[in-house]
Amino acid sequence: MSYDTTPIQEFDPERSILFLGSGFSLGATNIANDSPPNGRGLRRHFIKQLKLPEDTDYDLQVLSDEFADGDAQKLRDELYRIFRLTELTAGQTAILNEPWRRIYTTNYDDAVELNRLNNKLSPNTFDVSEPVPNKLPDGAVVHLHGSIRLITPENVKDNLVLGERSYVNQYVVRSPWYDQFQRDLAFSKALYIVGYSLADYHIAGLLMANPALAERTVFIQGPIPDPMFLRRTAQYGRTMFIGTDGFAEMLKSTPRSTLPTLDNLRAFRSLAPTRDKKAIARPTAPEVFDLLVYGNFDASRLARSQPSEDYAIARADAVRMAAEVVETKRSLVIDGRIGNGKSIFLHLLAFELSSRGWTCLMLRPGHPDLQSEIAALSEIDRVVVFIDQYSSVQDNLTGLYEALPHAKFVLEVRTGTFEVRFHEFTKLLPKPFDRVSLNALTRSDVVGLSRLCERAGLRAPAENFRGDLRDLLLELFNNAEIRSRVQAGLAPLLETRAARRSATVMMLVAMHHGAVSPAFVRSIIGEDPFTLLKPLEDISSEIFEISTDILKARSAVFSSFVITAFVEKDEIADAVVAVTLAAAQRRSERPYRILMSSMMAYSSLQKILQGNRDRNSVVASIYERLRYDERINGEPLFWLQYAITMVEASHLDLANEYIGTAYRVAKNISGFQTYQIDTQAFRIALLRATTQQRGQAVSNIDAILSGIERIDAMLTDESHRSYAVKVLDYVQPFVFARSDDLTTGERIALQFWLLKVVKSLASLADGFKATSGSNAVLQRLQMAAARFVE
């Protein structure tokens, strides 16, 4: 079999991954001197020590246990002798001296650390037994099997993965490092695998799942061609039989990559409208159906259909308003509730801005090319950077704005996120900034959507429709014809347990406006979702965006519909618990921490279980299952949600206890803000007092007075006032029910705070009053205050 001898045309180590297999360290000097510093050498060494036949086929873990015979110190010392290196070859040194984006290794030895020690550099090394840091530094080396540097007699059997089977079961499926590894592979320019052994079958499970990766993968093997190796790895990448020294020489002579330009950006994706060279065909009815029902959005189809509304409504008024904001201000927030068309709107806005001479780019967070490409963009005028994943970039927003002083920024966020975290936006966004909301359709939007539906053979919305785009789409789903078509189309996906569970998990995540990694889904269902859904590609590709580094349902609205219409409540509960616990395991990463909090929120669970008569009892059962997990039990917001559930079940005393637990847990978290707990504590106090027997003293009046004081303070905070307004609706029923049971001093104190809150509500901005309904609340509080002067 022939093999590729074409040399590498361009080398860019800062955007490339180096993977060290078992053959890389051959030739290095170790303390033992008599055993090669790799797994095969260790296996032969143990067989020799135990005087077993050379063809013994025991797992390495079994051999190591037999060698140690209960003596952990003996095992640690032997491993240290074999894998503690003292000298590297010139070729190994040259390879490790390159500024690699990241180094991954299945080797136990300390070759990389020794090289960095010789160069007087920080080891910058990580082990799978350690937590993944929030930001993994450039050049880090990650030991996927464990590292000799960390072993002690106490942890030797846990920190070094000596058995093949234990590695696959324990780490590949469950470790957050697998997520990090997959992200690095997805964004790398090239992957160089040095010293790969066909016996290392677990490496195939890590590296070979993505067919697209093969185009960027190069195996570096010893100088003698191996036909069997070529046959086994042909589909995974090209192979160069040049050995470690030959690879080092090749890197020395290969030209380095040049700086990026607007034409070859990787950390940014162009949003300019691109038109096919072929004649422009009008969108077909099935394409419109796929967009409206499945959320299967094709940006190029949208671009080719402009400026007509043959594919999507133009939302011309909102686009025009947003474009004017970009022209006059530094940044713009596009907010909308889930399913209201934010993604399509970003493209519509980009098309408009492109026609005005702006260069529109979508940021790809976490891409290794980001820093170098920022340098290329920093001197270009009229650049607009679109950001559709706020939570994944918020820690780096300030640095991004400062690095691109001439650029404008457009951020897409959910309305709830914007309202709750408004204080973050005021600090992080470059000023001046403005906001455009997508939560209402104009008259022209409804007319345009009616025409679009009619031409596509769908039921058009009523002319007097008022509400969200997602509400209108849900009406379409409830159309009997569409419902039956959807059910028939989904049948192959929902027939098998694993595929059904995988789809349920991804749709639940989509309802919270999120995407997850394949490793995350795999840790829940126990199978690789990429492989699982591949045979169902005809239907799964319409509903999901599937790759080896991201899984995402295309439409949150469609996901909500499917969960409600076709998934049983017990299945939903099981999936919610599994997703929440899996997210808790990865909560050091912000997107998963947000997913964990969103998934166990009472309001979210009520929405997920809509249509179930006993949904409150199902929610309570979910919380019961979650509270046994220490990570969940230690979350203040978990006890807050459980308290809300108890309120809805009229167990007010129990709700009060859970709120107390939320406060106690919150005290152990530095900097935790309790405003959400405060609002529910106030609500519970009011409800308990309202339902107590009349004619008796109000036993918790102190809690009510201190609660209303905290609520008044929250009204001055733009991020928290929406919660404060909602809870104030419980004041008037309490006053009307129990005012006669208050003492004179209590009546005076309560009236004082009611009048103060009325004054605070009156001073709010007109825009907030119009959207929050605070004027109606103000009037009810005035009526309550007047009760004390009757």
Side-chain angles (χ1 to χ4, degrees):
M1 177 181 289
S2 61
Y3 61 93
D4 189 353
T5 59
T6 306
I8 299 171
Q9 299 300 309
E10 185 180 67
F11 180 48
D12 187 353
E14 294 179 348
R15 294 192 291 171
S16 299
I17 305 297
L18 176 66
F19 195 104
L20 304 180
S22 58
F24 174 78
S25 297
L26 290 175
T29 303
N30 62 346
I31 295 176
N33 288 324
D34 60 349
S35 296
N38 59 30
R40 287 174 294 174
L42 181 62
R43 184 188 298 275
R44 290 196 298 269
H45 180 74
F46 282 159
I47 290 174
K48 181 179 179 181
Q49 293 288 322
L50 295 168
K51 298 180 179 181
L52 297 172
E54 292 185 2
D55 60 351
T56 299
D57 192 28
Y58 288 117
D59 183 79
L60 184 55
Q61 184 73 59
V62 175
L63 292 171
S64 61
D65 288 344
E66 185 69 19
F67 172 81
D69 193 22
D71 188 343
Q73 182 70 53
K74 178 183 178 183
L75 178 60
R76 181 266 175 197
D77 292 345
E78 195 65 17
L79 293 173
Y80 193 81
R81 273 186 357 100
I82 293 175
F83 295 109
R84 178 70 170 81
L85 303 183
T86 59
E87 186 177 353
L88 301 175
T89 68
Q92 291 165 347
T93 300
I95 293 170
L96 295 179
N97 280 342
E98 294 290 350
W100 298 100
R101 166 66 176 170
R102 203 89 72 222
I103 300 176
Y104 285 89
T105 178
T106 53
N107 301 337
Y108 314 128
D109 63 61
D110 59 348
V112 181
E113 291 84 349
L114 175 61
N115 179 72
R116 291 178 177 176
L117 177 65
N118 293 338
N119 291 331
K120 298 181 180 180
L121 298 174
S122 169
N124 197 9
T125 183
F126 295 86
D127 183 273
V128 286
S129 63
E130 300 173 304
V132 179
N134 290 331
K135 178 174 173 53
L136 192 62
D138 291 345
V141 55
V142 180
H143 286 269
L144 293 172
H145 275 194
S147 170
I148 198 68
R149 71 184 179 90
L150 291 179
I151 64 167
T152 65
E154 291 74 27
N155 67 19
V156 62
K157 293 186 179 181
D158 295 326
N159 279 27
L160 285 191
V161 184
L162 296 173
E164 308 286 0
R165 188 175 296 107
S166 64
Y167 179 74
V168 173
N169 292 339
Q170 183 178 356
Y171 287 100
V172 174
V173 174
R174 303 185 185 281
S175 174
W177 283 102
Y178 181 60
D179 292 348
Q180 178 65 47
F181 183 64
Q182 291 294 323
R183 284 195 296 271
D184 280 343
L185 292 184
F187 292 129
S188 66
K189 183 173 183 178
L191 169 64
Y192 298 95
I193 305 173
V194 184
Y196 173 64
S197 167
L198 290 177
D200 296 333
Y201 65 85
H202 50 274
I203 296 180
L206 285 171
L207 303 177
M208 315 311 175
N210 184 357
L213 185 62
E215 300 175 1
R216 296 179 276 131
T217 298
V218 180
F219 292 95
I220 304 298
Q221 292 294 106
I224 301 176
D226 183 344
M228 183 175 73
F229 184 95
L230 284 175
R231 286 193 296 272
R232 295 277 296 276
T233 61
Q235 61 180 315
Y236 302 133
R238 58 179 295 208
T239 299
M240 305 187 75
F241 292 101
I242 56 178
T244 302
D245 292 339
F247 184 46
E249 287 297 320
M250 185 186 67
L251 296 183
K252 184 189 302 184
S253 60
T254 302
R256 304 288 161 137
S257 299
T258 58
L259 288 175
T261 67
L262 282 178
D263 296 325
N264 63 1
L265 296 178
R266 289 165 55 85
F268 297 87
R269 176 168 56 87
S270 175
L271 294 180
T274 55
R275 299 183 181 276
D276 291 341
K277 296 180 180 179
K278 301 177 182 178
I280 300 174
R282 305 182 86 176
T284 65
E287 286 176 332
V288 176
F289 177 87
D290 288 348
L291 173 60
L292 294 179
V293 177
Y294 296 131
N296 194 354
F297 172 55
D298 184 341
S300 61
R301 168 58 70 188
L302 178 66
R304 293 194 300 270
S305 68
Q306 293 296 296
S308 72
E309 291 184 303
D310 291 338
Y311 186 63
I313 58 175
R315 308 200 77 162
D317 294 338
V319 168
R320 190 178 306 109
M321 182 187 307
E324 290 302 320
V325 170
V326 172
E327 293 278 9
T328 58
K329 299 185 177 180
R330 182 80 197 279
S331 53
L332 165 67
V333 174
I334 303 294
D335 81 275
R337 288 183 281 272
I338 291 178
N340 276 345
K342 295 187 294 297
S343 297
I344 296 176
F345 185 85
L346 290 184
H347 284 83
L348 291 170
L349 175 58
F351 298 161
E352 172 65 22
L353 291 172
S354 296
S355 71
R356 299 186 181 199
W358 290 90
T359 297
C360 299
L361 304 170
M362 178 70 76
L363 176 67
R364 299 178 68 188
H367 199 285
D369 296 350
L370 183 59
Q371 295 302 322
S372 61
E373 293 185 2
I374 283 178
L377 293 176
S378 60
E379 300 300 324
I380 300 176
D381 291 328
R382 297 186 71 78
V383 170
V384 183
V385 176
F386 288 70
I387 300 172
D388 65 348
Q389 300 177 46
Y390 167 71
S391 62
S392 63
V393 300
Q394 70 178 91
D395 293 335
N396 302 312
L397 280 178
T398 301
L400 182 63
Y401 300 147
E402 292 174 351
L404 296 174
H406 305 299
K408 302 293 185 81
F409 295 87
V410 176
L411 283 83
E412 173 214 315
V413 297
R414 288 172 54 186
T415 299
T417 300
F418 183 79
E419 291 175 347
V420 173
R421 301 164 72 179
F422 181 81
H423 60 290
E424 291 180 3
F425 287 92
T426 58
K427 293 177 182 178
L428 294 177
L429 291 181
K431 298 176 178 60
F433 78 90
D434 208 338
R435 167 195 185 192
V436 171
S437 176
L438 302 181
N439 288 328
L441 295 175
T442 65
R443 173 62 180 163
S444 61
D445 292 337
V446 175
V447 170
L449 189 57
S450 296
R451 293 173 180 167
L452 180 63
C453 289
E454 289 171 352
R455 288 195 295 265
L458 302 174
R459 179 168 56 89
E463 293 183 2
N464 60 350
F465 176 84
R466 294 292 182 269
D468 289 8
L469 176 61
R470 65 177 183 180
D471 294 335
L472 189 150
L473 294 177
L474 284 172
E475 285 189 7
L476 289 177
F477 297 147
N478 287 322
N479 177 291
E481 180 181 351
I482 291 181
R483 185 185 180 96
S484 62
R485 289 171 64 183
V486 170
Q487 187 170 14
L490 288 177
L493 188 63
L494 301 180
E495 282 176 351
T496 64
R497 184 181 184 279
R500 183 184 182 92
R501 187 165 169 78
S502 179
T504 300
V505 166
M506 286 190 282
M507 289 184 177
L508 281 176
V509 172
M511 292 176 66
H512 297 87
H513 195 57
V516 292
S517 69
F520 179 82
V521 178
R522 182 172 182 170
S523 70
I524 295 172
I525 66 174
E527 296 186 38
D528 177 21
F530 185 85
T531 303
L532 184 66
L533 297 176
K534 188 67 175 177
L536 305 171
E537 192 170 13
D538 286 349
I539 180 63
S540 62
S541 63
E542 292 185 359
I543 302 171
F544 305 114
E545 180 183 336
I546 303 173
S547 69
T548 52
D549 63 299
I550 189 173
L551 295 176
K552 181 180 181 181
R554 298 182 185 277
S555 169
V557 175
F558 180 70
S559 296
S560 175
F561 166 73
V562 172
I563 292 291
T564 302
F566 306 122
V567 182
E568 298 296 329
K569 64 182 180 182
D570 291 341
E571 292 179 279
I572 298 173
D574 290 344
V576 166
V577 171
V579 170
T580 305
L581 294 178
Q585 184 178 352
R586 292 165 167 80
R587 62 180 178 174
S588 60
E589 301 174 55
R590 187 187 299 275
Y592 288 108
R593 187 163 66 251
I594 293 173
L595 176 61
M596 177 191 70
S597 299
S598 300
M599 188 63 66
M600 64 185 181
Y602 177 80
S603 58
S604 296
L605 293 176
Q606 287 289 309
K607 178 182 176 183
I608 291 171
L609 291 161
Q610 58 184 312
N612 288 281
R613 295 180 180 177
D614 56 345
R615 60 180 175 178
N616 210 60
S617 63
V618 177
V619 172
S621 70
I622 289 172
Y623 291 144
E624 269 300 294
R625 294 166 65 181
L626 289 175
R627 73 180 176 88
Y628 287 98
D629 187 277
E630 292 182 358
R631 294 160 301 191
I632 301 297
N633 196 281
E635 286 287 336
L637 295 182
F638 166 74
W639 290 107
L640 168 65
Q641 305 307 319
Y642 208 164
I644 295 172
T645 306
M646 292 299 99
V647 170
E648 299 305 322
S650 299
H651 298 314
L652 297 178
D653 289 342
L654 194 52
N656 192 57
E657 290 297 321
Y658 290 170
I659 279 291
T661 301
Y663 277 121
R664 288 192 297 273
V665 173
K667 286 182 180 180
N668 299 324
I669 303 177
S670 177
F672 187 90
Q673 297 185 9
T674 62
Y675 64 90
Q676 287 181 274
I677 303 175
D678 294 338
T679 56
Q680 288 303 322
F682 183 52
R683 176 192 178 208
I684 291 169
L686 289 170
L687 289 172
R688 292 182 72 208
T690 303
T691 56
Q692 287 172 359
Q693 186 175 349
R694 298 187 185 187
Q696 298 181 352
V698 178
S699 60
N700 62 343
I701 186 62
D702 289 340
I704 291 173
L705 292 175
S706 61
I708 197 170
E709 182 178 357
R710 287 194 295 268
I711 296 301
D712 182 66
M714 289 171 62
L715 289 172
T716 64
D717 190 319
E718 293 176 325
S719 298
H720 306 155
R721 61 174 54 137
S722 60
Y723 291 99
V725 169
K726 293 175 183 177
V727 78
L728 286 170
D729 245 347
Y730 293 87
V731 172
Q732 186 194 47
F734 158 70
V735 171
F736 281 16
R738 302 301 308 280
S739 59
D740 292 342
D741 297 328
L742 298 174
T743 67
T744 301
E746 291 167 349
R747 291 167 64 90
I748 293 172
L750 183 56
Q751 183 187 32
F752 167 80
W753 281 111
L754 287 176
L755 293 175
K756 194 171 187 308
V757 171
V758 166
K759 184 177 180 180
S760 298
L761 289 172
S763 65
L764 296 177
D766 291 339
F768 179 82
K769 291 179 181 178
T771 58
S772 67
S774 64
N775 280 335
V777 175
L778 183 152
Q779 293 173 5
R780 287 191 283 273
L781 291 181
Q782 286 176 326
M783 294 171 61
R787 187 69 174 255
F788 295 110
V789 296
E790 293 177 354

